[in-house]
Amino acid sequence: MARAQLKHAFAVSADSLWAMIGDFGDVGKWSGRPPEACRHEGSGIGSLRSLTLDGGGQIVDRLDAEGPRSYTYSIVASPLPVIAYTATMAVTSLGTDRCELDWHGTIEPDGISDAQAAEMFEGFYRYGVGLMEKQIARRDAST
């Protein structure tokens, strides 16, 4: 079993970051992806989101748990080399205009080593955090 984790501090309030990333079914708010690239079925625990990748592949995630400024999800279908993957995104306040995102997951790889799986998902997390920072910068530039 591999583990991946990324903690990243943002120069926005925890409420502001959570307003952007806290909707499990709307990855487009922080990724900039068009609405048709992320479909959401159902509501609450057990709901599914389907993310269409640039190459046409699709990842289907299930919402497993929700908490204050956190949610846990698992992959139920994907082209990725994994048998199982579960992750949590959690936002913690670091003061009035600062917060930290802790994005971590466990991976059961398929055909790759634990180290390769951890590196792959930490790369996804870094990419996602970069997209979040871009959305924050766009919002700040427009105000």
Side-chain angles (χ1 to χ4, degrees):
M1 185 77 57
R3 298 190 188 284
Q5 182 170 25
L6 178 66
K7 289 185 177 188
H8 182 79
F10 288 88
V12 297
S13 71
D15 286 341
S16 180
L17 182 63
W18 192 246
M20 184 174 62
I21 70 168
D23 182 350
F24 172 76
D26 192 359
V27 174
K29 279 184 183 176
W30 58 267
S31 72
R33 304 277 297 163
E36 61 273 10
C38 181
R39 291 189 335 266
H40 188 233
E41 300 171 27
S43 63
I45 305 302
S47 65
L48 301 174
R49 69 179 178 199
S50 300
L51 309 170
T52 301
L53 306 173
D54 288 337
Q58 193 170 73
I59 297 174
V60 180
D61 296 326
R62 179 185 59 236
L63 181 62
D64 295 327
E66 291 181 291
R69 291 194 203 122
S70 72
Y71 61 75
T72 300
Y73 63 97
S74 56
I75 290 177
V76 296
S78 91
L80 301 174
V82 298
I83 294 168
Y85 169 77
T86 300
T88 298
M89 296 176 79
V91 176
T92 304
S93 177
L94 298 176
T96 305
D97 290 319
R98 289 188 43 79
C99 67
E100 180 179 72
L101 171 65
D102 179 2
W103 194 351
H104 61 274
T106 56
I107 310 118
E108 186 177 344
D110 184 20
I112 61 174
S113 70
D114 283 1
Q116 290 169 313
E119 183 178 320
M120 178 176 62
F121 278 91
E122 286 171 359
F124 294 156
Y125 299 167
R126 283 189 300 275
Y127 181 71
V129 164
L131 294 174
M132 292 171 201
E133 287 284 15
K134 285 181 184 177
Q135 291 299 328
I136 290 167
R138 283 186 190 122
R139 184 196 64 203
D140 289 349
S142 68
T143 56

